[in-house]
Amino acid sequence: MHFVKVDGAGNPNTSAEYLQAVQCLYGVSYAMKFAARAALSQDYVVPPLEGLWWADDPTAFAARRKDEWQWTMMIMVPDFVTSAIYEAARDKTRRKLGSLPETLRLERHDEGLSLQTLHLGSYDDEAPVLADLHHRVMPERGLTFNGPHHEIYLSDPRRTAPARLKTILRQPVRADPASLTRCA
């Protein structure tokens, strides 16, 4: 799938870089939507915000030390949106918002095999679900990590109480070579 993406680091609750990334992604995404409707007579609903999350020290992620987190925030783009439409949308957004993040780009993302679950509740309450996924579910199935943690935000946190937020938690996986030798 194609995504418009921005990379960054730091606490998403306090980072100006994170806020700029999200504003930029929505600005470009809506500009592409309207340009595709005008130029191609094809309309679509702008998909939800998604994020890839990781930390150099994996315990920082599970322990919620958000200042150590790295992220790629992204919004999916239909395949019929051309690079020319993206470039025009980027230029339009730059005129509206000013400077754009240097890492802003349109690119394919292929995650492969993944495990996922729907989390209901605050983002800060995800840790037990992820711990179960990482320490029980994946080992039981002979799987290991194959990329950063992926979240898809189905609710708007500006309009939804934290207890009612819906987030898809996804972890790319691959066969764990250590589990294969244990089975042999």
Side-chain angles (χ1 to χ4, degrees):
M1 295 179 278
H2 286 95
F3 287 85
V4 60
K5 297 179 174 182
V6 175
D7 301 324
N11 186 334
N13 298 322
T14 60
S15 169
E17 181 183 17
Y18 180 84
L19 180 60
Q20 181 194 29
V22 172
Q23 289 173 334
C24 171
L25 288 173
Y26 277 110
V28 170
S29 294
Y30 277 97
M32 287 187 296
K33 169 193 170 50
F34 296 127
R37 187 170 60 190
L40 306 173
S41 298
Q42 291 192 300
D43 198 8
Y44 64 97
V45 173
V46 171
L49 181 68
E50 302 186 32
L52 305 176
W53 299 91
W54 69 97
D56 290 335
D57 174 4
T59 63
F61 190 71
R64 314 301 283 172
R65 294 192 311 265
K66 297 178 182 181
D67 290 336
E68 298 175 38
W69 290 2
Q70 297 177 58
W71 41 263
T72 297
M73 301 312 297
M74 55 195 203
I75 297 177
M76 191 171 24
V77 179
D79 287 339
F80 60 78
V81 173
T82 65
S83 59
I85 289 175
Y86 163 73
E87 297 290 337
R90 188 187 64 197
D91 292 344
K92 182 177 182 179
T93 304
R94 180 181 295 117
R95 288 190 301 275
K96 184 176 180 181
L97 297 179
S99 66
L100 300 178
E102 288 183 22
T103 61
L104 175 66
R105 65 201 181 277
L106 177 67
E107 71 179 14
R108 285 196 62 78
H109 183 77
D110 183 8
E111 197 157 65
L113 181 65
S114 298
L115 296 176
Q116 72 180 26
T117 188
L118 176 65
H119 172 71
L120 301 174
S122 169
Y123 304 135
D124 288 328
D125 295 337
E126 294 174 359
V129 176
L130 294 173
D132 183 56
L133 175 69
H134 297 163
H135 303 297
R136 183 186 63 80
V137 176
M138 288 169 55
E140 283 178 358
R141 296 179 181 187
L143 301 170
T144 191
F145 297 91
N146 194 34
H149 170 69
H150 185 163
E151 297 189 356
I152 304 171
Y153 307 103
L154 303 178
S155 306
D156 182 342
R158 298 169 302 164
R159 298 186 175 126
T160 306
R164 298 181 54 91
L165 291 171
K166 295 179 182 174
T167 308
I168 294 175
L169 305 179
R170 180 181 291 168
Q171 180 58 58
V173 294
R174 62 180 167 81
D176 184 353
S179 71
L180 296 175
T181 48
R182 285 193 303 264
C183 296

